[in-house]
Amino acid sequence: MKPSPLFADTFRYFFMRFRKEGSIRKWFLKKAGENSLAFSYPESFKHFKKTLIFLPETKELALPYLENFKKCWSKENVLFVARDSLREVLIHHPLAKALFLTEKEFRFGEPAFENIEKQISEFNPDFCIYLAAPFLPALYLAKRSSAPCRVGFQCESLYPFLNISLQVSSEPEKISLLQKQYGVQNANQ
């Protein structure tokens, strides 16, 4: 039997492999907590003091964000959660502190996953931007972060893990909208 992409390879989570997707989603939501704090959606994202950012999985998708937001993302106010494959990219673009997870570690119940959850909790973000593909363990971390405002793109079906869905679909449109929200001038203009 092949390992679960969502859970650690322990007996404790063995039977989770046989659950249906909807049941697993409900389980993650229950573990993350179903309540969300009230917040006022800001005119500008730069009003948030601490931001948690889940980066896309590939270098090609992550680099445009890193290049376009180097003026507003810093080690003091941003924490990245990224796949280990982005380690080299983030070393060359040291905009913020980054937490890395390998594919095996990015499963609920793994010690590294629990450590990342603890570090996110200690960071105590008040804003979360989810740029990665939908993945329940990452969505769980976004919800558990306790950030009242958790933004994603085209993500209505991911509520309440993410509670703001911005309606743009292409990467350039996402970058442009985020630049507008941060008050960053587009380099192409």
Side-chain angles (χ1 to χ4, degrees):
M1 180 174 282
K2 79 179 202 180
S4 168
L6 304 177
F7 298 98
D9 289 333
T10 63
F11 183 72
R12 180 178 186 181
Y13 301 110
F14 177 78
F15 293 104
M16 294 299 285
R17 297 176 192 206
F18 303 105
R19 285 188 169 183
K20 294 184 178 174
E21 187 177 329
S23 175
I24 292 173
R25 178 187 162 90
K26 287 178 185 175
W27 184 88
F28 270 104
L29 185 57
K30 183 178 178 183
K31 290 294 267 184
E34 296 186 32
N35 297 332
S36 289
L37 299 172
F39 64 93
S40 176
Y41 187 72
E43 289 182 21
S44 172
F45 290 166
K46 61 185 168 188
H47 296 293
F48 291 109
K49 292 182 178 105
K50 290 186 175 180
T51 303
L52 175 66
I53 299 172
F54 287 83
L55 288 173
E57 291 78 18
T58 66
K59 176 181 177 180
E60 294 74 25
L61 291 174
L63 270 175
Y65 292 100
L66 298 174
E67 289 293 329
N68 284 291
F69 295 97
K70 57 184 160 194
K71 293 180 183 173
C72 52
W73 290 347
S74 70
K75 291 181 190 271
E76 294 80 40
N77 69 349
V78 172
L79 177 64
F80 291 131
V81 176
R83 298 278 181 157
D84 195 53
S85 59
L86 293 178
R87 186 178 300 269
E88 184 181 323
V89 173
L90 290 172
I91 288 172
H92 294 311
H93 291 78
L95 301 177
K97 183 178 177 192
L99 304 174
F100 299 100
L101 288 164
T102 64
E103 189 172 328
K104 182 180 180 210
E105 293 170 337
F106 217 145
R107 301 184 302 176
F108 191 90
E110 291 288 346
F113 186 87
E114 292 170 358
N115 185 36
I116 295 289
E117 183 178 356
K118 181 180 178 233
Q119 289 182 57
I120 289 171
S121 178
E122 290 170 357
F123 180 68
N124 195 25
D126 53 359
F127 184 52
C128 175
I129 301 175
Y130 192 89
L131 302 171
F135 183 61
L136 278 172
L139 291 165
Y140 164 83
L141 289 173
K143 177 76 169 79
R144 282 292 286 175
S145 73
S146 73
C149 185
R150 299 176 305 278
V151 172
F153 293 91
Q154 307 289 103
C155 64
E156 295 82 13
S157 65
L158 301 177
Y159 179 83
F161 294 105
L162 303 175
N163 56 6
I164 299 282
S165 179
L166 301 177
Q167 299 303 310
V168 294
S169 54
S170 74
E171 292 303 311
E173 288 176 329
K174 291 177 186 179
I175 290 170
S176 179
L177 179 61
L178 286 174
Q179 284 177 322
K180 182 179 175 186
Q181 290 294 132
Y182 271 108
V184 175
Q185 293 295 322
N186 188 337
N188 298 331
Q189 292 179 345

